[in-house]
Amino acid sequence: SLLLVSSCTNNDTSMEDAGLIPIPQIISAVAGNLTLESDFSIQLIGTDQGLRTVGDYLANRIRPATGFEIPIGTAKGTIVLELISGEASEAYELNISDNEARITSTSAAGLFYGTQTLMQLFTIEIESSDVMTREWALPKGNIKDQPEFSYRGAMLDVARHFISTTDEKHYI
């Protein structure tokens, strides 16, 4: 009798197979991975205060599972968050190469959305609150995305769908 054990922690998943939500507008996958070493850091390029907030957020999301210190600053880093000039929008570009993962946008909001995509490219163990001893790799490639709509909203239609007062209050 043969027992085959499989795992969902394959580091060879390409960007196209990562199951990103929402699906980015453009995904260009390249073979290979960028492996994050224990001494990697996050580099901030730009002057907006929101840039530091996004960098802190990303580091705090990655630290628990990796156990890495992850310094944040203007010195060269493996993950680069770069604010570029232009009309502020929530669009971003994520480029993962042999040496770095670079997210560029014209606003801190765009960088934040780029970090959300970056986090989805890690294996699920990145969500662990305990240190996981493993190789932390990101698939190489390029993603360009922006929100499909310039607004976000919700509609509560009580005329066609009867909802209790308690549920309405919870919704609000």
Side-chain angles (χ1 to χ4, degrees):
S1 180
L2 176 66
L3 176 64
L4 180 63
V5 179
S6 179
S7 171
C8 295
T9 60
N10 184 1
N11 281 345
D12 295 330
T13 302
S14 74
M15 280 187 174
E16 294 167 330
D17 298 330
L20 299 173
I21 299 174
I23 299 171
Q25 291 178 347
I26 299 172
I27 301 175
S28 303
V30 177
N33 293 314
L34 167 65
T35 301
L36 300 179
E37 304 296 334
S38 61
D39 62 347
F40 92 90
S41 62
I42 297 175
Q43 178 182 5
L44 306 177
I45 301 174
T47 58
D48 188 298
Q49 177 56 35
L51 176 62
R52 180 65 188 207
T53 303
V54 174
D56 288 337
Y57 170 81
L58 180 59
N60 289 332
R61 288 278 314 270
I62 297 173
R63 280 183 186 125
T66 62
F68 299 163
E69 186 177 320
I70 313 176
I72 305 164
T74 56
K76 181 147 179 63
T78 308
I79 296 179
V80 180
L81 302 178
E82 180 179 12
L83 278 174
I84 57 176
S85 61
E87 184 179 333
S89 77
E90 296 177 349
Y92 68 89
E93 182 173 353
L94 169 60
N95 187 3
I96 302 174
S97 63
D98 289 328
N99 304 320
E100 68 180 17
R102 180 179 293 263
I103 303 172
T104 56
S105 179
T106 57
S107 72
L111 291 176
F112 176 76
Y113 294 132
T115 63
Q116 297 304 305
T117 301
L118 180 75
M119 290 301 296
Q120 291 182 60
L121 292 172
F122 282 106
T123 57
I124 191 65
E125 289 86 2
I126 198 68
E127 299 296 337
S128 175
S129 58
D130 299 322
V131 175
M132 307 293 288
T133 305
R134 65 181 328 278
E135 181 179 84
W136 296 101
L138 294 165
K140 292 192 308 187
N142 187 275
I143 293 175
K144 292 182 183 178
D145 196 22
Q146 66 183 12
E148 188 172 348
F149 303 105
S150 61
Y151 60 88
R152 290 170 182 79
M155 180 179 158
L156 176 62
D157 186 354
V158 295
R160 286 181 258 187
H161 306 282
F162 298 107
I163 300 172
S164 71
T165 305
T166 305
D167 289 338
E168 284 183 44
K169 289 179 181 177
H170 178 75
Y171 182 83
I172 295 171

mmCIF file with all atom_site columns, all heavy atoms in Angstrom, residues 95-122:
data_model
loop_
_atom_site.group_PDB
_atom_site.id
_atom_site.type_symbol
_atom_site.label_atom_id
_atom_site.label_alt_id
_atom_site.label_comp_id
_atom_site.label_asym_id
_atom_site.label_entity_id
_atom_site.label_seq_id
_atom_site.pdbx_PDB_ins_code
_atom_site.Cartn_x
_atom_site.Cartn_y
_atom_site.Cartn_z
_atom_site.occupancy
_atom_site.B_iso_or_equiv
_atom_site.pdbx_formal_charge
_atom_site.auth_seq_id
_atom_site.auth_comp_id
_atom_site.auth_asym_id
_atom_site.auth_atom_id
_atom_site.pdbx_PDB_model_num
ATOM 1   N N   . ASN A 1 95  ? 6.289  44.576 -9.119  1.00 0.00 ? 95  ASN A N   1
ATOM 2   C CA  . ASN A 1 95  ? 7.275  43.894 -9.945  1.00 0.00 ? 95  ASN A CA  1
ATOM 3   C C   . ASN A 1 95  ? 8.192  43.095 -9.031  1.00 0.00 ? 95  ASN A C   1
ATOM 4   O O   . ASN A 1 95  ? 8.884  43.666 -8.191  1.00 0.00 ? 95  ASN A O   1
ATOM 5   C CB  . ASN A 1 95  ? 8.065  44.926 -10.767 1.00 0.00 ? 95  ASN A CB  1
ATOM 6   C CG  . ASN A 1 95  ? 8.984  44.252 -11.762 1.00 0.00 ? 95  ASN A CG  1
ATOM 7   O OD1 . ASN A 1 95  ? 9.004  43.030 -11.881 1.00 0.00 ? 95  ASN A OD1 1
ATOM 8   N ND2 . ASN A 1 95  ? 9.756  45.038 -12.473 1.00 0.00 ? 95  ASN A ND2 1
ATOM 9   N N   . ILE A 1 96  ? 8.195  41.784 -9.202  1.00 0.00 ? 96  ILE A N   1
ATOM 10  C CA  . ILE A 1 96  ? 9.054  40.906 -8.405  1.00 0.00 ? 96  ILE A CA  1
ATOM 11  C C   . ILE A 1 96  ? 10.115 40.317 -9.327  1.00 0.00 ? 96  ILE A C   1
ATOM 12  O O   . ILE A 1 96  ? 9.800  39.630 -10.290 1.00 0.00 ? 96  ILE A O   1
ATOM 13  C CB  . ILE A 1 96  ? 8.249  39.792 -7.706  1.00 0.00 ? 96  ILE A CB  1
ATOM 14  C CG1 . ILE A 1 96  ? 7.173  40.412 -6.807  1.00 0.00 ? 96  ILE A CG1 1
ATOM 15  C CG2 . ILE A 1 96  ? 9.179  38.875 -6.914  1.00 0.00 ? 96  ILE A CG2 1
ATOM 16  C CD1 . ILE A 1 96  ? 6.233  39.421 -6.174  1.00 0.00 ? 96  ILE A CD1 1
ATOM 17  N N   . SER A 1 97  ? 11.387 40.641 -9.021  1.00 0.00 ? 97  SER A N   1
ATOM 18  C CA  . SER A 1 97  ? 12.511 40.196 -9.841  1.00 0.00 ? 97  SER A CA  1
ATOM 19  C C   . SER A 1 97  ? 13.441 39.321 -8.995  1.00 0.00 ? 97  SER A C   1
ATOM 20  O O   . SER A 1 97  ? 13.103 38.945 -7.869  1.00 0.00 ? 97  SER A O   1
ATOM 21  C CB  . SER A 1 97  ? 13.260 41.418 -10.379 1.00 0.00 ? 97  SER A CB  1
ATOM 22  O OG  . SER A 1 97  ? 13.815 42.163 -9.309  1.00 0.00 ? 97  SER A OG  1
ATOM 23  N N   . ASP A 1 98  ? 14.634 39.058 -9.507  1.00 0.00 ? 98  ASP A N   1
ATOM 24  C CA  . ASP A 1 98  ? 15.613 38.249 -8.780  1.00 0.00 ? 98  ASP A CA  1
ATOM 25  C C   . ASP A 1 98  ? 16.055 38.909 -7.476  1.00 0.00 ? 98  ASP A C   1
ATOM 26  O O   . ASP A 1 98  ? 16.370 38.221 -6.510  1.00 0.00 ? 98  ASP A O   1
ATOM 27  C CB  . ASP A 1 98  ? 16.865 38.013 -9.637  1.00 0.00 ? 98  ASP A CB  1
ATOM 28  C CG  . ASP A 1 98  ? 16.601 37.059 -10.783 1.00 0.00 ? 98  ASP A CG  1
ATOM 29  O OD1 . ASP A 1 98  ? 15.763 36.151 -10.610 1.00 0.00 ? 98  ASP A OD1 1
ATOM 30  O OD2 . ASP A 1 98  ? 17.210 37.234 -11.844 1.00 0.00 ? 98  ASP A OD2 1
ATOM 31  N N   . ASN A 1 99  ? 16.084 40.252 -7.450  1.00 0.00 ? 99  ASN A N   1
ATOM 32  C CA  . ASN A 1 99  ? 16.671 40.963 -6.323  1.00 0.00 ? 99  ASN A CA  1
ATOM 33  C C   . ASN A 1 99  ? 15.693 41.673 -5.407  1.00 0.00 ? 99  ASN A C   1
ATOM 34  O O   . ASN A 1 99  ? 16.038 41.987 -4.270  1.00 0.00 ? 99  ASN A O   1
ATOM 35  C CB  . ASN A 1 99  ? 17.675 42.013 -6.838  1.00 0.00 ? 99  ASN A CB  1
ATOM 36  C CG  . ASN A 1 99  ? 18.741 41.394 -7.700  1.00 0.00 ? 99  ASN A CG  1
ATOM 37  O OD1 . ASN A 1 99  ? 19.236 40.319 -7.404  1.00 0.00 ? 99  ASN A OD1 1
ATOM 38  N ND2 . ASN A 1 99  ? 19.081 42.056 -8.777  1.00 0.00 ? 99  ASN A ND2 1
ATOM 39  N N   . GLU A 1 100 ? 14.486 41.987 -5.907  1.00 0.00 ? 100 GLU A N   1
ATOM 40  C CA  . GLU A 1 100 ? 13.570 42.775 -5.089  1.00 0.00 ? 100 GLU A CA  1
ATOM 41  C C   . GLU A 1 100 ? 12.126 42.590 -5.518  1.00 0.00 ? 100 GLU A C   1
ATOM 42  O O   . GLU A 1 100 ? 11.830 42.150 -6.620  1.00 0.00 ? 100 GLU A O   1
ATOM 43  C CB  . GLU A 1 100 ? 13.926 44.270 -5.159  1.00 0.00 ? 100 GLU A CB  1
ATOM 44  C CG  . GLU A 1 100 ? 13.686 44.878 -6.526  1.00 0.00 ? 100 GLU A CG  1
ATOM 45  C CD  . GLU A 1 100 ? 14.048 46.353 -6.594  1.00 0.00 ? 100 GLU A CD  1
ATOM 46  O OE1 . GLU A 1 100 ? 14.767 46.861 -5.710  1.00 0.00 ? 100 GLU A OE1 1
ATOM 47  O OE2 . GLU A 1 100 ? 13.599 47.008 -7.569  1.00 0.00 ? 100 GLU A OE2 1
ATOM 48  N N   . ALA A 1 101 ? 11.235 42.990 -4.599  1.00 0.00 ? 101 ALA A N   1
ATOM 49  C CA  . ALA A 1 101 ? 9.809  43.120 -4.883  1.00 0.00 ? 101 ALA A CA  1
ATOM 50  C C   . ALA A 1 101 ? 9.508  44.603 -4.758  1.00 0.00 ? 101 ALA A C   1
ATOM 51  O O   . ALA A 1 101 ? 9.661  45.175 -3.679  1.00 0.00 ? 101 ALA A O   1
ATOM 52  C CB  . ALA A 1 101 ? 8.978  42.317 -3.893  1.00 0.00 ? 101 ALA A CB  1
ATOM 53  N N   . ARG A 1 102 ? 9.123  45.250 -5.862  1.00 0.00 ? 102 ARG A N   1
ATOM 54  C CA  . ARG A 1 102 ? 8.917  46.706 -5.883  1.00 0.00 ? 102 ARG A CA  1
ATOM 55  C C   . ARG A 1 102 ? 7.450  46.997 -6.169  1.00 0.00 ? 102 ARG A C   1
ATOM 56  O O   . ARG A 1 102 ? 6.894  46.538 -7.166  1.00 0.00 ? 102 ARG A O   1
ATOM 57  C CB  . ARG A 1 102 ? 9.797  47.355 -6.937  1.00 0.00 ? 102 ARG A CB  1
ATOM 58  C CG  . ARG A 1 102 ? 9.644  48.871 -7.032  1.00 0.00 ? 102 ARG A CG  1
ATOM 59  C CD  . ARG A 1 102 ? 10.580 49.444 -8.081  1.00 0.00 ? 102 ARG A CD  1
ATOM 60  N NE  . ARG A 1 102 ? 11.967 49.297 -7.691  1.00 0.00 ? 102 ARG A NE  1
ATOM 61  C CZ  . ARG A 1 102 ? 12.692 50.260 -7.095  1.00 0.00 ? 102 ARG A CZ  1
ATOM 62  N NH1 . ARG A 1 102 ? 12.139 51.427 -6.838  1.00 0.00 ? 102 ARG A NH1 1
ATOM 63  N NH2 . ARG A 1 102 ? 13.943 50.031 -6.778  1.00 0.00 ? 102 ARG A NH2 1
ATOM 64  N N   . ILE A 1 103 ? 6.858  47.807 -5.283  1.00 0.00 ? 103 ILE A N   1
ATOM 65  C CA  . ILE A 1 103 ? 5.493  48.277 -5.489  1.00 0.00 ? 103 ILE A CA  1
ATOM 66  C C   . ILE A 1 103 ? 5.566  49.776 -5.725  1.00 0.00 ? 103 ILE A C   1
ATOM 67  O O   . ILE A 1 103 ? 6.135  50.504 -4.911  1.00 0.00 ? 103 ILE A O   1
ATOM 68  C CB  . ILE A 1 103 ? 4.593  47.980 -4.267  1.00 0.00 ? 103 ILE A CB  1
ATOM 69  C CG1 . ILE A 1 103 ? 4.592  46.484 -3.949  1.00 0.00 ? 103 ILE A CG1 1
ATOM 70  C CG2 . ILE A 1 103 ? 3.168  48.476 -4.516  1.00 0.00 ? 103 ILE A CG2 1
ATOM 71  C CD1 . ILE A 1 103 ? 3.897  46.125 -2.646  1.00 0.00 ? 103 ILE A CD1 1
ATOM 72  N N   . THR A 1 104 ? 5.015  50.235 -6.854  1.00 0.00 ? 104 THR A N   1
ATOM 73  C CA  . THR A 1 104 ? 5.007  51.661 -7.152  1.00 0.00 ? 104 THR A CA  1
ATOM 74  C C   . THR A 1 104 ? 3.575  52.135 -7.335  1.00 0.00 ? 104 THR A C   1
ATOM 75  O O   . THR A 1 104 ? 2.722  51.402 -7.852  1.00 0.00 ? 104 THR A O   1
ATOM 76  C CB  . THR A 1 104 ? 5.809  51.988 -8.432  1.00 0.00 ? 104 THR A CB  1
ATOM 77  O OG1 . THR A 1 104 ? 5.272  51.223 -9.514  1.00 0.00 ? 104 THR A OG1 1
ATOM 78  C CG2 . THR A 1 104 ? 7.272  51.686 -8.269  1.00 0.00 ? 104 THR A CG2 1
ATOM 79  N N   . SER A 1 105 ? 3.324  53.366 -6.896  1.00 0.00 ? 105 SER A N   1
ATOM 80  C CA  . SER A 1 105 ? 2.011  53.979 -7.035  1.00 0.00 ? 105 SER A CA  1
ATOM 81  C C   . SER A 1 105 ? 2.151  55.480 -6.856  1.00 0.00 ? 105 SER A C   1
ATOM 82  O O   . SER A 1 105 ? 3.169  55.963 -6.353  1.00 0.00 ? 105 SER A O   1
ATOM 83  C CB  . SER A 1 105 ? 1.038  53.417 -5.985  1.00 0.00 ? 105 SER A CB  1
ATOM 84  O OG  . SER A 1 105 ? -0.232 54.042 -6.123  1.00 0.00 ? 105 SER A OG  1
ATOM 85  N N   . THR A 1 106 ? 1.110  56.206 -7.234  1.00 0.00 ? 106 THR A N   1
ATOM 86  C CA  . THR A 1 106 ? 1.110  57.658 -7.039  1.00 0.00 ? 106 THR A CA  1
ATOM 87  C C   . THR A 1 106 ? 0.469  58.044 -5.712  1.00 0.00 ? 106 THR A C   1
ATOM 88  O O   . THR A 1 106 ? 0.384  59.226 -5.401  1.00 0.00 ? 106 THR A O   1
ATOM 89  C CB  . THR A 1 106 ? 0.362  58.364 -8.187  1.00 0.00 ? 106 THR A CB  1
ATOM 90  O OG1 . THR A 1 106 ? -0.979 57.839 -8.262  1.00 0.00 ? 106 THR A OG1 1
ATOM 91  C CG2 . THR A 1 106 ? 1.079  58.153 -9.517  1.00 0.00 ? 106 THR A CG2 1
ATOM 92  N N   . SER A 1 107 ? 0.009  57.057 -4.931  1.00 0.00 ? 107 SER A N   1
ATOM 93  C CA  . SER A 1 107 ? -0.613 57.359 -3.635  1.00 0.00 ? 107 SER A CA  1
ATOM 94  C C   . SER A 1 107 ? -0.345 56.242 -2.630  1.00 0.00 ? 107 SER A C   1
ATOM 95  O O   . SER A 1 107 ? -0.056 55.103 -3.010  1.00 0.00 ? 107 SER A O   1
ATOM 96  C CB  . SER A 1 107 ? -2.133 57.532 -3.794  1.00 0.00 ? 107 SER A CB  1
ATOM 97  O OG  . SER A 1 107 ? -2.746 56.281 -4.048  1.00 0.00 ? 107 SER A OG  1
ATOM 98  N N   . ALA A 1 108 ? -0.470 56.585 -1.366  1.00 0.00 ? 108 ALA A N   1
ATOM 99  C CA  . ALA A 1 108 ? -0.314 55.580 -0.309  1.00 0.00 ? 108 ALA A CA  1
ATOM 100 C C   . ALA A 1 108 ? -1.404 54.519 -0.423  1.00 0.00 ? 108 ALA A C   1
ATOM 101 O O   . ALA A 1 108 ? -1.166 53.341 -0.134  1.00 0.00 ? 108 ALA A O   1
ATOM 102 C CB  . ALA A 1 108 ? -0.340 56.246 1.061   1.00 0.00 ? 108 ALA A CB  1
ATOM 103 N N   . ALA A 1 109 ? -2.595 54.913 -0.854  1.00 0.00 ? 109 ALA A N   1
ATOM 104 C CA  . ALA A 1 109 ? -3.685 53.941 -1.021  1.00 0.00 ? 109 ALA A CA  1
ATOM 105 C C   . ALA A 1 109 ? -3.308 52.894 -2.065  1.00 0.00 ? 109 ALA A C   1
ATOM 106 O O   . ALA A 1 109 ? -3.541 51.694 -1.870  1.00 0.00 ? 109 ALA A O   1
ATOM 107 C CB  . ALA A 1 109 ? -4.978 54.650 -1.414  1.00 0.00 ? 109 ALA A CB  1
ATOM 108 N N   . GLY A 1 110 ? -2.716 53.330 -3.175  1.00 0.00 ? 110 GLY A N   1
ATOM 109 C CA  . GLY A 1 110 ? -2.274 52.384 -4.199  1.00 0.00 ? 110 GLY A CA  1
ATOM 110 C C   . GLY A 1 110 ? -1.212 51.439 -3.677  1.00 0.00 ? 110 GLY A C   1
ATOM 111 O O   . GLY A 1 110 ? -1.235 50.237 -3.956  1.00 0.00 ? 110 GLY A O   1
ATOM 112 N N   . LEU A 1 111 ? -0.272 51.979 -2.885  1.00 0.00 ? 111 LEU A N   1
ATOM 113 C CA  . LEU A 1 111 ? 0.754  51.115 -2.280  1.00 0.00 ? 111 LEU A CA  1
ATOM 114 C C   . LEU A 1 111 ? 0.116  50.096 -1.341  1.00 0.00 ? 111 LEU A C   1
ATOM 115 O O   . LEU A 1 111 ? 0.521  48.934 -1.295  1.00 0.00 ? 111 LEU A O   1
ATOM 116 C CB  . LEU A 1 111 ? 1.780  51.956 -1.526  1.00 0.00 ? 111 LEU A CB  1
ATOM 117 C CG  . LEU A 1 111 ? 2.705  52.823 -2.376  1.00 0.00 ? 111 LEU A CG  1
ATOM 118 C CD1 . LEU A 1 111 ? 3.602  53.673 -1.480  1.00 0.00 ? 111 LEU A CD1 1
ATOM 119 C CD2 . LEU A 1 111 ? 3.538  51.968 -3.320  1.00 0.00 ? 111 LEU A CD2 1
ATOM 120 N N   . PHE A 1 112 ? -0.884 50.523 -0.582  1.00 0.00 ? 112 PHE A N   1
ATOM 121 C CA  . PHE A 1 112 ? -1.576 49.610 0.334   1.00 0.00 ? 112 PHE A CA  1
ATOM 122 C C   . PHE A 1 112 ? -2.220 48.461 -0.447  1.00 0.00 ? 112 PHE A C   1
ATOM 123 O O   . PHE A 1 112 ? -2.084 47.300 -0.067  1.00 0.00 ? 112 PHE A O   1
ATOM 124 C CB  . PHE A 1 112 ? -2.634 50.362 1.142   1.00 0.00 ? 112 PHE A CB  1
ATOM 125 C CG  . PHE A 1 112 ? -3.451 49.467 2.021   1.00 0.00 ? 112 PHE A CG  1
ATOM 126 C CD1 . PHE A 1 112 ? -2.908 48.968 3.200   1.00 0.00 ? 112 PHE A CD1 1
ATOM 127 C CD2 . PHE A 1 112 ? -4.738 49.101 1.670   1.00 0.00 ? 112 PHE A CD2 1
ATOM 128 C CE1 . PHE A 1 112 ? -3.654 48.121 4.021   1.00 0.00 ? 112 PHE A CE1 1
ATOM 129 C CE2 . PHE A 1 112 ? -5.479 48.255 2.479   1.00 0.00 ? 112 PHE A CE2 1
ATOM 130 C CZ  . PHE A 1 112 ? -4.940 47.765 3.653   1.00 0.00 ? 112 PHE A CZ  1
ATOM 131 N N   . TYR A 1 113 ? -2.901 48.784 -1.544  1.00 0.00 ? 113 TYR A N   1
ATOM 132 C CA  . TYR A 1 113 ? -3.513 47.720 -2.345  1.00 0.00 ? 113 TYR A CA  1
ATOM 133 C C   . TYR A 1 113 ? -2.445 46.801 -2.936  1.00 0.00 ? 113 TYR A C   1
ATOM 134 O O   . TYR A 1 113 ? -2.651 45.590 -3.045  1.00 0.00 ? 113 TYR A O   1
ATOM 135 C CB  . TYR A 1 113 ? -4.403 48.310 -3.445  1.00 0.00 ? 113 TYR A CB  1
ATOM 136 C CG  . TYR A 1 113 ? -5.609 49.022 -2.878  1.00 0.00 ? 113 TYR A CG  1
ATOM 137 C CD1 . TYR A 1 113 ? -5.956 50.287 -3.314  1.00 0.00 ? 113 TYR A CD1 1
ATOM 138 C CD2 . TYR A 1 113 ? -6.385 48.444 -1.883  1.00 0.00 ? 113 TYR A CD2 1
ATOM 139 C CE1 . TYR A 1 113 ? -7.051 50.951 -2.780  1.00 0.00 ? 113 TYR A CE1 1
ATOM 140 C CE2 . TYR A 1 113 ? -7.477 49.103 -1.340  1.00 0.00 ? 113 TYR A CE2 1
ATOM 141 C CZ  . TYR A 1 113 ? -7.809 50.357 -1.799  1.00 0.00 ? 113 TYR A CZ  1
ATOM 142 O OH  . TYR A 1 113 ? -8.876 51.008 -1.269  1.00 0.00 ? 113 TYR A OH  1
ATOM 143 N N   . GLY A 1 114 ? -1.306 47.365 -3.298  1.00 0.00 ? 114 GLY A N   1
ATOM 144 C CA  . GLY A 1 114 ? -0.201 46.539 -3.783  1.00 0.00 ? 114 GLY A CA  1
ATOM 145 C C   . GLY A 1 114 ? 0.318  45.582 -2.722  1.00 0.00 ? 114 GLY A C   1
ATOM 146 O O   . GLY A 1 114 ? 0.658  44.439 -3.014  1.00 0.00 ? 114 GLY A O   1
ATOM 147 N N   . THR A 1 115 ? 0.363  46.054 -1.456  1.00 0.00 ? 115 THR A N   1
ATOM 148 C CA  . THR A 1 115 ? 0.814  45.162 -0.377  1.00 0.00 ? 115 THR A CA  1
ATOM 149 C C   . THR A 1 115 ? -0.188 44.036 -0.140  1.00 0.00 ? 115 THR A C   1
ATOM 150 O O   . THR A 1 115 ? 0.205  42.926 0.218   1.00 0.00 ? 115 THR A O   1
ATOM 151 C CB  . THR A 1 115 ? 1.054  45.915 0.948   1.00 0.00 ? 115 THR A CB  1
ATOM 152 O OG1 . THR A 1 115 ? -0.169 46.479 1.411   1.00 0.00 ? 115 THR A OG1 1
ATOM 153 C CG2 . THR A 1 115 ? 2.120  46.970 0.800   1.00 0.00 ? 115 THR A CG2 1
ATOM 154 N N   . GLN A 1 116 ? -1.474 44.321 -0.359  1.00 0.00 ? 116 GLN A N   1
ATOM 155 C CA  . GLN A 1 116 ? -2.480 43.271 -0.208  1.00 0.00 ? 116 GLN A CA  1
ATOM 156 C C   . GLN A 1 116 ? -2.264 42.171 -1.241  1.00 0.00 ? 116 GLN A C   1
ATOM 157 O O   . GLN A 1 116 ? -2.377 40.979 -0.938  1.00 0.00 ? 116 GLN A O   1
ATOM 158 C CB  . GLN A 1 116 ? -3.893 43.860 -0.346  1.00 0.00 ? 116 GLN A CB  1
ATOM 159 C CG  . GLN A 1 116 ? -4.251 44.863 0.719   1.00 0.00 ? 116 GLN A CG  1
ATOM 160 C CD  . GLN A 1 116 ? -4.095 44.300 2.120   1.00 0.00 ? 116 GLN A CD  1
ATOM 161 O OE1 . GLN A 1 116 ? -4.662 43.275 2.467   1.00 0.00 ? 116 GLN A OE1 1
ATOM 162 N NE2 . GLN A 1 116 ? -3.294 44.968 2.925   1.00 0.00 ? 116 GLN A NE2 1
ATOM 163 N N   . THR A 1 117 ? -1.932 42.569 -2.460  1.00 0.00 ? 117 THR A N   1
ATOM 164 C CA  . THR A 1 117 ? -1.633 41.585 -3.505  1.00 0.00 ? 117 THR A CA  1
ATOM 165 C C   . THR A 1 117 ? -0.356 40.827 -3.158  1.00 0.00 ? 117 THR A C   1
ATOM 166 O O   . THR A 1 117 ? -0.297 39.604 -3.284  1.00 0.00 ? 117 THR A O   1
ATOM 167 C CB  . THR A 1 117 ? -1.500 42.291 -4.872  1.00 0.00 ? 117 THR A CB  1
ATOM 168 O OG1 . THR A 1 117 ? -2.726 42.962 -5.161  1.00 0.00 ? 117 THR A OG1 1
ATOM 169 C CG2 . THR A 1 117 ? -1.188 41.291 -5.978  1.00 0.00 ? 117 THR A CG2 1
ATOM 170 N N   . LEU A 1 118 ? 0.666  41.545 -2.704  1.00 0.00 ? 118 LEU A N   1
ATOM 171 C CA  . LEU A 1 118 ? 1.927  40.907 -2.312  1.00 0.00 ? 118 LEU A CA  1
ATOM 172 C C   . LEU A 1 118 ? 1.690  39.844 -1.246  1.00 0.00 ? 118 LEU A C   1
ATOM 173 O O   . LEU A 1 118 ? 2.220  38.730 -1.333  1.00 0.00 ? 118 LEU A O   1
ATOM 174 C CB  . LEU A 1 118 ? 2.914  41.952 -1.808  1.00 0.00 ? 118 LEU A CB  1
ATOM 175 C CG  . LEU A 1 118 ? 4.279  41.428 -1.366  1.00 0.00 ? 118 LEU A CG  1
ATOM 176 C CD1 . LEU A 1 118 ? 5.129  41.074 -2.576  1.00 0.00 ? 118 LEU A CD1 1
ATOM 177 C CD2 . LEU A 1 118 ? 4.998  42.454 -0.517  1.00 0.00 ? 118 LEU A CD2 1
ATOM 178 N N   . MET A 1 119 ? 0.897  40.151 -0.243  1.00 0.00 ? 119 MET A N   1
ATOM 179 C CA  . MET A 1 119 ? 0.627  39.190 0.838   1.00 0.00 ? 119 MET A CA  1
ATOM 180 C C   . MET A 1 119 ? -0.044 37.926 0.312   1.00 0.00 ? 119 MET A C   1
ATOM 181 O O   . MET A 1 119 ? 0.204  36.832 0.807   1.00 0.00 ? 119 MET A O   1
ATOM 182 C CB  . MET A 1 119 ? -0.232 39.839 1.929   1.00 0.00 ? 119 MET A CB  1
ATOM 183 C CG  . MET A 1 119 ? 0.484  40.895 2.745   1.00 0.00 ? 119 MET A CG  1
ATOM 184 S SD  . MET A 1 119 ? 1.962  40.290 3.591   1.00 0.00 ? 119 MET A SD  1
ATOM 185 C CE  . MET A 1 119 ? 1.250  39.087 4.704   1.00 0.00 ? 119 MET A CE  1
ATOM 186 N N   . GLN A 1 120 ? -0.882 38.066 -0.710  1.00 0.00 ? 120 GLN A N   1
ATOM 187 C CA  . GLN A 1 120 ? -1.552 36.895 -1.277  1.00 0.00 ? 120 GLN A CA  1
ATOM 188 C C   . GLN A 1 120 ? -0.592 35.996 -2.055  1.00 0.00 ? 120 GLN A C   1
ATOM 189 O O   . GLN A 1 120 ? -0.902 34.829 -2.302  1.00 0.00 ? 120 GLN A O   1
ATOM 190 C CB  . GLN A 1 120 ? -2.691 37.327 -2.202  1.00 0.00 ? 120 GLN A CB  1
ATOM 191 C CG  . GLN A 1 120 ? -3.860 37.953 -1.475  1.00 0.00 ? 120 GLN A CG  1
ATOM 192 C CD  . GLN A 1 120 ? -4.966 38.318 -2.435  1.00 0.00 ? 120 GLN A CD  1
ATOM 193 O OE1 . GLN A 1 120 ? -5.506 37.446 -3.118  1.00 0.00 ? 120 GLN A OE1 1
ATOM 194 N NE2 . GLN A 1 120 ? -5.300 39.596 -2.486  1.00 0.00 ? 120 GLN A NE2 1
ATOM 195 N N   . LEU A 1 121 ? 0.556  36.525 -2.445  1.00 0.00 ? 121 LEU A N   1
ATOM 196 C CA  . LEU A 1 121 ? 1.524  35.732 -3.187  1.00 0.00 ? 121 LEU A CA  1
ATOM 197 C C   . LEU A 1 121 ? 2.362  34.825 -2.283  1.00 0.00 ? 121 LEU A C   1
ATOM 198 O O   . LEU A 1 121 ? 2.989  33.882 -2.761  1.00 0.00 ? 121 LEU A O   1
ATOM 199 C CB  . LEU A 1 121 ? 2.442  36.652 -4.003  1.00 0.00 ? 121 LEU A CB  1
ATOM 200 C CG  . LEU A 1 121 ? 1.750  37.389 -5.150  1.00 0.00 ? 121 LEU A CG  1
ATOM 201 C CD1 . LEU A 1 121 ? 2.687  38.414 -5.771  1.00 0.00 ? 121 LEU A CD1 1
ATOM 202 C CD2 . LEU A 1 121 ? 1.237  36.413 -6.200  1.00 0.00 ? 121 LEU A CD2 1
ATOM 203 N N   . PHE A 1 122 ? 2.387  35.113 -0.990  1.00 0.00 ? 122 PHE A N   1
ATOM 204 C CA  . PHE A 1 122 ? 3.036  34.203 -0.037  1.00 0.00 ? 122 PHE A CA  1
ATOM 205 C C   . PHE A 1 122 ? 2.164  32.967 0.141   1.00 0.00 ? 122 PHE A C   1
ATOM 206 O O   . PHE A 1 122 ? 0.968  32.982 -0.160  1.00 0.00 ? 122 PHE A O   1
ATOM 207 C CB  . PHE A 1 122 ? 3.180  34.873 1.337   1.00 0.00 ? 122 PHE A CB  1
ATOM 208 C CG  . PHE A 1 122 ? 4.302  35.865 1.449   1.00 0.00 ? 122 PHE A CG  1
ATOM 209 C CD1 . PHE A 1 122 ? 4.039  37.222 1.471   1.00 0.00 ? 122 PHE A CD1 1
ATOM 210 C CD2 . PHE A 1 122 ? 5.616  35.442 1.564   1.00 0.00 ? 122 PHE A CD2 1
ATOM 211 C CE1 . PHE A 1 122 ? 5.063  38.150 1.599   1.00 0.00 ? 122 PHE A CE1 1
ATOM 212 C CE2 . PHE A 1 122 ? 6.649  36.360 1.690   1.00 0.00 ? 122 PHE A CE2 1
ATOM 213 C CZ  . PHE A 1 122 ? 6.370  37.715 1.712   1.00 0.00 ? 122 PHE A CZ  1
#
